[in-house]
Amino acid sequence: MKIVHRDFVRGGPGKFKMVPLDSDDLWYVFNLIAVGDSVIAVTVRKVLREAASGGRDAERVKLKLEIKVDKVPEYDQEGGVVRVSGKNILENEHVKIGAHHTLELELHRPFALKKDVWDSVALLELNQACDPAASADLAVVIMQEGLAHILLVGRSMTITRSRIETSIPRKHGPSVAGYEKALSKFFENVLQAFLKYVDFSVVRCAVIASPGFTKDQFHRHLLLEAERKQLRSIIENKSRIVLVHTTSGYKHSLREVLDAPNVMNLIKDTKAAQEVRALQDFFSMLSNEPHRACYGPKHVEVAHEQMAVQTLLITDELFRNADVVTRQKYVNLVNSVKDSKGNVHIFSSMHVSGEQLAQITGIAAILRFPLPDLDDIEM
């Protein structure tokens, strides 16, 4: 994210003008904009003008609008756009004040965001969006015979770039020749997708993951073809290609990839890796010392009232609540945990770790000391 202009009071009103540069930035924009905020952007509207013949001509006109957001924005991952709806509050010859309008915020198009209160969570989101060091940027090929997924793991989201599926005959009996031919064709299709979507100037490393020996066979095919066709991007970066064992070639196996020590070492300083580690620590504590881990808003709240929260895990989804009071409750909890020298991890709901956390209410905590009485409180 590029910040063009800033004029704000921490914990008070202000305005930021910004330009989203990649899909991760659009996700941050989606999380930043809340009901009650104002968004200023240039848009195009069809306007009817009187023609010399007496009729009316339609003309597309560029307009600058400021809308007061009246519902939670929509994020369109496929289209690469965030849609923000509300009433126009800026005087304009073509759009009346109070008229309802939807703005589409896209990559490389500047817009300004005004808030009555720039709270700590909103400012943290903005800082993370502007921090290039926070990027995970990991390319992952998860595969098994006949099926492969190419995923890009960014700062705040995991994107499926390609799914390759090929019918592979059985390895034994008379169809063995057909098996070899089909497998070679499958590997070639995966290689073409790999070349198209994996950019080593952006990603830290590329992971090839599978059950059995499929990953090793594809890795061998990749390197042989790179030498034969002189594919410089692969030849010069082969040391950044990592092999990992998974139980399947389906996307849910990304969890196993991010848990792998050789991958974790390469991305250990990124937000995505910190989230994975924090979630591992939570489930480990829940399993080994259950009274030192809790989840659910009520249990976490009670634990914090007793100054017991060492690490707070919370998904960004909870801050997108249309109810300002509910959002503020979670913002206050985050600030209070930090003030009491606790750690806070805000998980992206577009990452596999955020999805896991969402399955257990979206909020959890590792405690400084056991609280067995929590079991008596209804969640």
Short mmCIF file of all heavy atoms in Angstrom, two decimals, residues 41-47 61-65 90 92-95 101 103:
data_model
loop_
_atom_site.label_atom_id
_atom_site.label_comp_id
_atom_site.label_asym_id
_atom_site.label_seq_id
_atom_site.Cartn_x
_atom_site.Cartn_y
_atom_site.Cartn_z
N ALA A 41 -13.51 9.18 -3.73
CA ALA A 41 -12.86 8.56 -4.90
C ALA A 41 -13.45 9.12 -6.18
O ALA A 41 -14.56 9.68 -6.19
CB ALA A 41 -13.03 7.04 -4.86
N VAL A 42 -12.68 8.96 -7.27
CA VAL A 42 -13.17 9.36 -8.59
C VAL A 42 -13.93 8.18 -9.19
O VAL A 42 -13.47 7.04 -9.12
CB VAL A 42 -11.98 9.78 -9.51
CG1 VAL A 42 -12.47 10.02 -10.94
CG2 VAL A 42 -11.30 11.02 -8.96
N THR A 43 -15.08 8.46 -9.76
CA THR A 43 -15.90 7.41 -10.37
C THR A 43 -16.43 7.91 -11.71
O THR A 43 -16.29 9.09 -12.04
CB THR A 43 -17.06 6.99 -9.44
OG1 THR A 43 -17.76 5.91 -10.00
CG2 THR A 43 -18.03 8.15 -9.20
N VAL A 44 -17.00 7.02 -12.49
CA VAL A 44 -17.58 7.39 -13.78
C VAL A 44 -19.07 7.15 -13.73
O VAL A 44 -19.52 6.09 -13.30
CB VAL A 44 -16.93 6.57 -14.93
CG1 VAL A 44 -17.60 6.89 -16.26
CG2 VAL A 44 -15.44 6.85 -15.02
N ARG A 45 -19.85 8.16 -14.18
CA ARG A 45 -21.31 8.03 -14.19
C ARG A 45 -21.86 8.41 -15.56
O ARG A 45 -21.32 9.29 -16.23
CB ARG A 45 -21.93 8.93 -13.12
CG ARG A 45 -22.19 8.17 -11.84
CD ARG A 45 -23.44 8.69 -11.18
NE ARG A 45 -23.99 7.72 -10.25
CZ ARG A 45 -25.04 7.93 -9.49
NH1 ARG A 45 -25.69 9.07 -9.56
NH2 ARG A 45 -25.49 7.01 -8.68
N LYS A 46 -22.94 7.74 -15.95
CA LYS A 46 -23.60 8.08 -17.20
C LYS A 46 -24.55 9.25 -16.94
O LYS A 46 -25.40 9.18 -16.05
CB LYS A 46 -24.38 6.86 -17.72
CG LYS A 46 -24.77 6.97 -19.18
CD LYS A 46 -25.54 5.73 -19.63
CE LYS A 46 -24.62 4.56 -19.90
NZ LYS A 46 -25.36 3.40 -20.47
N VAL A 47 -24.35 10.34 -17.71
CA VAL A 47 -25.15 11.55 -17.52
C VAL A 47 -25.91 11.85 -18.81
O VAL A 47 -25.37 11.74 -19.91
CB VAL A 47 -24.23 12.75 -17.16
CG1 VAL A 47 -25.02 14.03 -17.09
CG2 VAL A 47 -23.53 12.49 -15.84
N VAL A 61 -19.23 10.63 -17.59
CA VAL A 61 -18.51 11.75 -16.99
C VAL A 61 -17.75 11.28 -15.75
O VAL A 61 -18.28 10.50 -14.94
CB VAL A 61 -19.51 12.87 -16.58
CG1 VAL A 61 -18.77 14.05 -15.95
CG2 VAL A 61 -20.30 13.33 -17.77
N LYS A 62 -16.51 11.76 -15.61
CA LYS A 62 -15.73 11.46 -14.39
C LYS A 62 -16.16 12.39 -13.28
O LYS A 62 -16.24 13.61 -13.46
CB LYS A 62 -14.23 11.67 -14.68
CG LYS A 62 -13.52 10.43 -15.17
CD LYS A 62 -12.01 10.64 -15.16
CE LYS A 62 -11.30 9.35 -15.57
NZ LYS A 62 -9.84 9.51 -15.51
N LEU A 63 -16.43 11.81 -12.11
CA LEU A 63 -16.90 12.59 -10.96
C LEU A 63 -16.09 12.25 -9.72
O LEU A 63 -15.63 11.11 -9.56
CB LEU A 63 -18.37 12.26 -10.65
CG LEU A 63 -19.40 12.35 -11.78
CD1 LEU A 63 -20.69 11.73 -11.30
CD2 LEU A 63 -19.62 13.79 -12.17
N LYS A 64 -15.95 13.22 -8.83
CA LYS A 64 -15.36 12.96 -7.52
C LYS A 64 -16.49 12.92 -6.51
O LYS A 64 -17.22 13.90 -6.35
CB LYS A 64 -14.36 14.06 -7.17
CG LYS A 64 -13.58 13.80 -5.88
CD LYS A 64 -12.61 14.93 -5.62
CE LYS A 64 -11.78 14.67 -4.37
NZ LYS A 64 -10.85 15.78 -4.11
N LEU A 65 -16.68 11.78 -5.87
CA LEU A 65 -17.76 11.63 -4.90
C LEU A 65 -17.20 11.33 -3.52
O LEU A 65 -16.14 10.72 -3.38
CB LEU A 65 -18.70 10.50 -5.31
CG LEU A 65 -19.51 10.65 -6.61
CD1 LEU A 65 -20.40 9.43 -6.79
CD2 LEU A 65 -20.36 11.91 -6.59
N LEU A 90 -21.01 14.96 -0.93
CA LEU A 90 -20.22 16.02 -1.56
C LEU A 90 -21.04 16.68 -2.67
O LEU A 90 -21.55 16.00 -3.56
CB LEU A 90 -18.93 15.42 -2.16
CG LEU A 90 -17.85 16.38 -2.64
CD1 LEU A 90 -17.27 17.16 -1.46
CD2 LEU A 90 -16.74 15.62 -3.35
N ASN A 92 -22.35 18.16 -5.93
CA ASN A 92 -21.92 17.79 -7.27
C ASN A 92 -23.06 18.09 -8.24
O ASN A 92 -24.22 17.83 -7.94
CB ASN A 92 -21.58 16.30 -7.28
CG ASN A 92 -20.86 15.86 -8.53
OD1 ASN A 92 -21.40 15.94 -9.62
ND2 ASN A 92 -19.64 15.40 -8.35
N GLU A 93 -22.72 18.62 -9.44
CA GLU A 93 -23.78 19.00 -10.38
C GLU A 93 -24.52 17.79 -10.96
O GLU A 93 -25.64 17.91 -11.46
CB GLU A 93 -23.23 19.87 -11.52
CG GLU A 93 -22.21 19.17 -12.41
CD GLU A 93 -21.85 19.99 -13.64
OE1 GLU A 93 -22.79 20.33 -14.40
OE2 GLU A 93 -20.65 20.25 -13.84
N HIS A 94 -23.90 16.61 -10.90
CA HIS A 94 -24.51 15.43 -11.51
C HIS A 94 -25.13 14.46 -10.50
O HIS A 94 -26.01 13.68 -10.85
CB HIS A 94 -23.47 14.67 -12.35
CG HIS A 94 -22.89 15.49 -13.46
ND1 HIS A 94 -23.65 15.97 -14.50
CD2 HIS A 94 -21.62 15.91 -13.70
CE1 HIS A 94 -22.88 16.65 -15.33
NE2 HIS A 94 -21.64 16.63 -14.86
N VAL A 95 -24.64 14.49 -9.26
CA VAL A 95 -25.16 13.57 -8.24
C VAL A 95 -25.62 14.39 -7.03
O VAL A 95 -24.85 15.12 -6.44
CB VAL A 95 -24.09 12.54 -7.80
CG1 VAL A 95 -24.67 11.58 -6.77
CG2 VAL A 95 -23.53 11.78 -8.98
N HIS A 101 -24.98 5.65 -3.82
CA HIS A 101 -24.00 5.32 -4.86
C HIS A 101 -23.06 4.22 -4.37
O HIS A 101 -22.83 4.09 -3.16
CB HIS A 101 -23.18 6.58 -5.22
CG HIS A 101 -22.35 6.41 -6.46
ND1 HIS A 101 -22.85 6.63 -7.72
CD2 HIS A 101 -21.06 6.03 -6.64
CE1 HIS A 101 -21.90 6.40 -8.62
NE2 HIS A 101 -20.80 6.04 -7.99
N LEU A 103 -19.17 2.88 -4.89
CA LEU A 103 -17.84 3.12 -5.43
C LEU A 103 -17.10 1.80 -5.54
O LEU A 103 -17.21 0.95 -4.65
CB LEU A 103 -17.04 4.07 -4.52
CG LEU A 103 -17.51 5.53 -4.41
CD1 LEU A 103 -16.70 6.25 -3.33
CD2 LEU A 103 -17.36 6.24 -5.74
#
